[in-house]
Every structure is written in structure tokens, then in C-alpha cells.
């Protein structure tokens, strides 16, 4: 097992585009604006805009119920643009062949997918005939692309989508590596997540309650460890912490709770799930609160530790067996009603993945019905799950972790 690859540490300026006549032009303009704002030169901005326009045009021509996501992604040192398309269209039986210029099923020149592949720094496509296609493309500057290639594909990625009619989402995921000094140092250099814009209906204004100024989020993790678990002060086992929060309700107040949970997670010092949740609990006092689950993945020992409170679904998926194992959360609301925290520790099958999602996705999905789910990047796997299990009447969020364990 090699060193953990740091995940894409943050995703900002998330914009979803539904299938409409204006989708290609709207997505092209938004992509160009995002690329320009994070410092891409004019040539690279034009390339990103062209690739995103081709992706949007493909959705209009071929897709059924297609959507396109644009967002800025950040590592510790760089920022890039990410584009994801999801559809339930006719799909492709041979993806490599479809990437060849001149191949078209609609009587066009057939250069769309090939152009996206050439212009993107990374591209991953999952497609099944009569089921649909998921495409994920990432764009960096030239120097940033070299650094990203050296890191390799992130071991964790996720997607969030607000309920229909809202612009902000109350679901959030975040990840950080612990136990590896060079990775923790890199994590410390990452840019801070931008807070949500001030909201006239903020919880403090409605209730008159403001958390005490001394309610620090960096309290040492003193929650008792599970039997046999190492102490946080001496724990050097490389591990990945993954947190998922579903802020209660939806809209701006739920998004503020989710943002507070993500900030507490990123700024926290706890290295084990129950300690992380305790830190988030303190940060969410006085607000809406939420459902929170945390996993700690230790690749060298192929184990996963889990602690959760509230309605966050967490599964260990065995790709080879086509099965999933549920990790159950305790009832309660982080920030309000906390149960006694307990961590469970289980073995990770080889080639397995860990999937976390809110109740904006149903639990009816099964790995055996999603061929290739873990054969692709975590981002494509998350998009595939969102397509298959996501619902429009609630905020929806999903995070996927998979690596060489």
C-alpha cells in the first residue's frame, strides 16, 4: 500500500444546469467565468469553455433528463474547474470507440467527446447501453496539472445537489488525511472554505442565541477510544477521515449548519470518529444541528472505524462480491441531542469502497445492479449513485472513498 493520496480538499461555487435549450451557452459562460476568476489565462479559459460547451451540447442531443455540474475544486496549492454530466440517455456500448473523432450517433462531425478528452487534464466516463452516461472532467493550469498528476487521483470525492427550488444545499462532505506528517502539513496549507453569505434569517437573529465566543473548535480529543485503539497523541497510522453532514431541513439555515460542521471538521484536532463528532457537536450548538457520520479508513490495516448520529447512510461496498454492509448510526441530532457515542471497527475487503449519503438518496440501490461502480473514480461513482438513487424533493449528497486497500 503506497501513501494516501490527498483528496480534492474543497469544492466551491457549485452550479447545476438542468437539460434546457440554453444549457450549452449557459454552461459555457459559467465555465469561462469560473476559470478566469481562479487565474486561468485566456487560452486555458477558452479551452475550458469549449470543452464544457461540447459536454452541454452532447446532453442536449443525446441525453434523457440530463444535468451538468460546474464547480471550482481546490488542493492545498491549486484551484481547478470540474465538470460533471449525468444522464439517463441511450448510453455507449464502447466508450473508447466513442472518444474517436468522427464517431457520431446523431449525424454530426463526432468531435465532441474527443475534444473534451484532449482539453481536459483528467476524464473518466461510465456508460451503459440503455442506462445512461456519467462523465467527469477536470481542468488545471499547466503547472497545476503536473502537481495534480504527481498526487494521482483523489481517493475520495463527493457531490451535493440542493432540493429543487433552492440554490444552497444542506448536505456537505469533507475529508482529511491524518497520521502522515507530510500530508497533514499540506492540509494545513489548504485555503479556508468561504462562509455562506450573511442571511437575514440566520438562526441567531431568529432565536437571540449566539454561541459563546470561547466555544473553541480545537479542543483536544478526549473522548474514550474504542478498546485497543491507539491514543490520538501517539497515533501515527496513516488514515483518511471522511465526514458527512446533513443539516436539518433545507435552504439557507441548513446550509449554514452544514458549513459550520465542515469548518469544525477541517479545523479540528480529533483523529477518531467519535472525537470528530464531539467537536462538531460543540460547533453546532445554538443552530439547527444535523445528522453527522464520520469514518476513519486505515489502508495499511484495511480497517474502517465508524461513528454516526442521525440519518446518514453509510455502507462498505465489496465490489468483487457485489454486496454492501451497512454501518448504523445512533438516533439523535448533533448540536442538540447527542447519544452516547460509540465507534464500530470493521475489516475492509480488498478493492472495497466506503459510501456515505443523505436521505436525499434512497437506500434501494444495490452494487450488483450498478456494474463498474467502483471501477471508476470516486467522483464518477458518486455521480452514478446520485443518478440512480437521488430524489428531487430533498437536498441530496453522496461521498465515495476508494483506494488501493
Amino acid at each position: 500500500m503506497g501513501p494516501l493520496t490527498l483528496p480534492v480538499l474543497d469544492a466551491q461555487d457549485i452550479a447545476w444546469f438542468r437539460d434546457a435549450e440554453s444549457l450549452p451557452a449557459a454552461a459555457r459562460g459559467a465555465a469561462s467565468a469560473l476559470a478566469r476568476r481562479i487565474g486561468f489565462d485566456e487560452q486555458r479559459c477558452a479551452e475550458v469553455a469549449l470543452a464544457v460547451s461540447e459536454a452541454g451540447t452532447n446532453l442536449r442531443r443525446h441525453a434523457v433528463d440530463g444535468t451538468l455540474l460546474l464547480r471550482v475544486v481546490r488542493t492545498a496549492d491549486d484551484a481547478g474547474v470540474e465538470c460533471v454530466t449525468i444522464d439517463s440517455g441511450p448510453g455507449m456500448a464502447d466508450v473508447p470507440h466513442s472518444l474517436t473523432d468522427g464517431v457520431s450517433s446523431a449525424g454530426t462531425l463526432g468531435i465532441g467527446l474527443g475534444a473534451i478528452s484532449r482539453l481536459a487534464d483528467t476524464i473518466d466516463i461510465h456508460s451503459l447501453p440503455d442506462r445512461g452516461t456519467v462523465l467527469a472532467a477536470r481542468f488545471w493550469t499547466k503547472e497545476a496539472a503536473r502537481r495534480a498528476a504527481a498526487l494521482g487521483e483523489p481517493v475520495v470525492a463527493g457531490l451535493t445537489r440542493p432540493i429543487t427550488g433552492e440554490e444552497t444545499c444542506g448536505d456537505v462532505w469533507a475529508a482529511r488525511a491524518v497520521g502522515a506528517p507530510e500530508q497533514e502539513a499540506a492540509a494545513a496549507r489548504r485555503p479556508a472554505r468561504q462562509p455562506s453569505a450573511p442571511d437575514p434569517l440566520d438562526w441567531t437573529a431568529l432565536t437571540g442565541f449566539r454561541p459563546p465566543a470561547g466555544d473553541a473548535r480545537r479542543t483536544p480529543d478526549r473522548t474514550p477510544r474504542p478498546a485497543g485503539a491507539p491514543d490520538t497523541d501517539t497515533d501515527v497510522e496513516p488514515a483518511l477521515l471522511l465526514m458527512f453532514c446533513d443539516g436539518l431541513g433545507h435552504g439557507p439555515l441548513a446550509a449554514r449548519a452544514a458549513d459550520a460542521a465542515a469548518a469544525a471538521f477541517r479545523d479540528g484536532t480529533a483523529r477518531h470518529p467519535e472525537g470528530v463528532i464531539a467537536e462538531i457537536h460543540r460547533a453546532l450548538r445554538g443552530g439547527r444541528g444535523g445528522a453527522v457520520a464520520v469514518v476513519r479508513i486505515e489502508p495499511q490495516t484495511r480497517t474502517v472505524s465508524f461513528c454516526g448520529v442521525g440519518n446518514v447512510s453509510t455502507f462498505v461496498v465489496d465490489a468483487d462480491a457485489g454486496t454492501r454492509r451497512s454501518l448504523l448510526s445512533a438516533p439523535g441530532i448533533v448540536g442538540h441531542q447527542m447519544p452516547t457515542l460509540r465507534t464500530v471497527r470493521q475489516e475492509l475487503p480488498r478493492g472495497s469502497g466506503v459510501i456515505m449519503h443523505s436521505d436525499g438518496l434512497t437506500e434501494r440501490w444495490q452494487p450488483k445492479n450498478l456494474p463498474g461502480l467502483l471501477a471508476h473514480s470516486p467522483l464518477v461513482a458518486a455521480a452514478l449513485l446520485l443518478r440512480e438513487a437521488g430524489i428531487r424533493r430533498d437536498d441530496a449528497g453522496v461521498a465515495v472513498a476508494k483506494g488501493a486497500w
Side-chain angles (χ1 to χ4, degrees), residues 254-345:
R256 289 171 70 87
D259 285 346
F265 173 80
R266 292 187 177 98
D267 295 340
T269 58
R271 297 186 176 194
H272 291 268
E274 74 278 19
V276 173
I277 291 181
E279 290 181 336
I280 294 173
H281 175 65
R282 291 190 287 272
L284 296 190
R285 285 175 180 165
R288 276 202 173 184
V292 179
V294 179
V295 295
R296 175 187 167 100
I297 298 171
E298 297 180 10
Q300 292 183 358
T301 58
R302 294 212 336 268
T303 57
V304 57
S305 301
F306 168 83
C307 184
V309 177
N311 194 19
V312 173
S313 301
T314 305
F315 300 95
V316 174
V317 176
D318 187 334
D320 293 336
T323 59
R324 69 181 196 185
R325 184 170 68 247
S326 179
L327 303 175
L328 299 179
S329 296
I333 303 173
V334 176
H336 290 275
Q337 303 166 352
M338 279 277 282
T340 300
L341 297 177
R342 293 185 175 86
T343 292
V344 297
R345 186 178 175 93

Side-chain angles (χ1 to χ4, degrees), residues 119-168:
L119 295 170
D121 292 295
T122 62
I123 186 171
D124 189 15
I125 301 174
H126 177 284
S127 191
L128 293 173
D130 302 320
R131 293 280 296 275
T133 300
V134 170
L135 177 150
R138 199 173 294 137
F139 305 86
W140 303 100
T141 63
K142 185 177 295 186
E143 291 301 319
R146 293 194 185 100
R147 288 187 285 269
L151 284 175
E153 182 66 25
V155 296
V156 60
L159 293 172
T160 58
R161 183 183 67 194
I163 187 174
T164 300
E166 292 283 357
E167 295 184 358
T168 57

Side-chain angles (χ1 to χ4, degrees), residues 140-277:
W140 303 100
T141 63
K142 185 177 295 186
E143 291 301 319
R146 293 194 185 100
R147 288 187 285 269
L151 284 175
E153 182 66 25
V155 296
V156 60
L159 293 172
T160 58
R161 183 183 67 194
I163 187 174
T164 300
E166 292 283 357
E167 295 184 358
T168 57
C169 183
D171 292 350
V172 71
W173 66 275
R176 57 184 169 94
V178 296
E182 68 281 1
Q183 291 177 347
E184 293 197 28
R189 300 196 307 271
R190 66 178 175 267
R193 180 183 178 92
Q194 297 298 316
S196 299
D199 183 358
L201 296 179
D202 117 347
W203 190 259
T204 300
L206 290 174
T207 65
F209 178 86
R210 186 179 299 276
D215 190 12
R217 294 175 180 171
R218 301 188 68 85
T219 304
D221 175 17
R222 294 192 177 93
T223 308
R225 301 275 70 79
D231 182 82
T232 54
D233 293 333
T234 59
D235 179 16
V236 295
E237 181 74 23
L240 178 73
L241 283 175
L242 175 60
M243 183 278 301
F244 194 98
C245 174
D246 180 356
L248 291 188
H250 52 80
L253 294 181
R256 289 171 70 87
D259 285 346
F265 173 80
R266 292 187 177 98
D267 295 340
T269 58
R271 297 186 176 194
H272 291 268
E274 74 278 19
V276 173
I277 291 181

